[in-house]
Amino acid sequence: AQSVTQPDIHITVSEGASLELRCNYSYGATPYLFWYVQSPGQGLQLLLKYFSGDTLVQGIKGFEAEFKRSQSSFNLRKPSVHWSDAAEYFCAVCSSSNFGNEKLTFGTGTRLTIIP
Amino acid sequence: GAVVSQHPSRVICKSGTSVKIECRSLDFQATTMFWYRQFPKQSLMLMATSNEGSKATYEQGVEKDKFLINHASLTLSTLTVTSAHPEDSSFYICSVRLQEKLFFGSGTQLSVL
């Protein structure tokens, strides 16, 4: 069965500093990988996704993520965070065959706090 | 702008009562909607797939008689938690697929006393 681990429950970063949120997955075949962000009172918004091809994917709001098969990781990065990036971030995975059925498996989320 | 609207955002109810949560797709028709649930410190888990005009498809371990799903129109799906108990307290969120992207509602935090 597929699973996703986000080791960091809560991360605090200074505004302007760089950010890396970790995500490790467990899945036998090539996975479809996603990062979502949830701001307070808002729905989950897709930041970026990886299906195939270039392992470094660019997303919205200046985020990027790198798929590393050898490490079973899909870490999210941003070179310089803004106060508006404070939110909950979710990594998710599903199989290509299940994508149409939306059987996404989510991590438990990482809450990001930004300090001045 | 928002693609999916979910109401209410928060509800507190007494044990034994039923609670209805609405999920609406805005400006487009959705034949399929999805309901997820997240218990504290756990992952979002798919509960069921709501199909317009037909019965919902429930994931293993989800009681269909307890979590009633109605998808009577192309823009509205409702999830009713019947005879709610404290163990049903959770974060419920719906989503809709549009052009290979999933759009999520803002979620409903249910607290059963």
Side-chain angles (χ1 to χ4, degrees):
Chain A
Q2 57 200 38
S3 66
V4 178
T5 302
Q6 291 181 248
D8 305 305
I9 297 173
H10 185 200
I11 285 182
T12 300
V13 178
S14 298
E15 189 170 15
S18 63
L19 170 72
E20 182 169 32
L21 302 182
R22 295 184 290 167
C23 173
N24 293 96
Y25 68 91
S26 172
Y27 186 66
T30 300
Y32 283 6
L33 295 159
F34 308 81
W35 273 100
Y36 286 87
V37 60
Q38 184 177 31
S39 299
Q42 304 293 318
L44 274 70
Q45 181 183 20
L46 180 67
L47 283 176
L48 47 79
K49 64 181 185 291
Y50 171 79
F51 285 1
S52 64
D54 193 344
T55 56
L56 182 64
V57 293
Q58 304 296 322
I60 62 172
K61 303 184 179 185
F63 286 92
E64 67 177 25
E66 187 171 11
F67 170 57
K68 293 184 177 180
R69 184 188 299 276
S70 61
Q71 298 177 20
S72 298
S73 68
F74 189 57
N75 294 348
L76 181 71
R77 301 193 295 249
K78 186 169 184 177
S80 177
V81 297
H82 186 261
W83 65 266
S84 60
D85 293 325
E88 188 92 18
Y89 291 80
F90 294 92
C91 181
V93 63
C94 79
S95 68
S96 56
S97 60
N98 275 333
F99 181 64
N101 297 326
E102 316 307 335
K103 289 184 184 289
L104 289 174
T105 298
F106 284 86
T108 50
T110 297
R111 183 159 61 92
L112 176 63
T113 298
I114 307 295
I115 57 176
Chain B
V3 177
V4 181
S5 174
Q6 184 175 342
H7 294 282
S9 59
R10 179 179 293 272
V11 60
I12 301 172
C13 69
K14 293 182 179 180
S15 183
T17 60
S18 295
V19 174
K20 180 184 285 187
I21 303 170
E22 292 188 349
C23 181
R24 293 181 184 274
S25 60
L26 306 178
D27 301 324
F28 69 97
Q29 296 178 334
T31 56
T32 306
M33 295 184 178
F34 308 93
W35 288 97
Y36 288 80
R37 161 172 73 179
Q38 183 183 26
F39 291 109
K41 299 183 180 180
Q42 296 186 26
S43 306
L44 276 166
M45 297 293 293
L46 180 65
M47 295 176 65
T49 302
S50 171
N51 305 298
E52 188 270 335
S54 64
K55 292 182 179 180
T57 304
Y58 290 82
E59 295 302 302
Q60 189 174 7
V62 179
E63 301 174 58
K64 62 180 181 181
D65 294 329
K66 181 168 186 62
F67 298 98
L68 300 179
I69 292 174
N70 184 283
H71 195 152
S73 78
L74 288 170
T75 59
L76 174 65
S77 174
T78 61
L79 169 68
T80 300
V81 183
T82 62
S83 186
H85 290 281
E87 57 265 30
D88 298 323
S89 297
S90 184
F91 182 72
Y92 295 85
I93 191 165
C94 68
S95 73
V96 176
R97 188 182 181 203
L98 179 63
Q99 297 178 352
E100 295 197 346
K101 288 185 179 179
L102 275 184
F103 292 90
F104 287 81
S106 53
T108 298
Q109 184 65 52
L110 171 64
S111 299
V112 184
L113 306 178

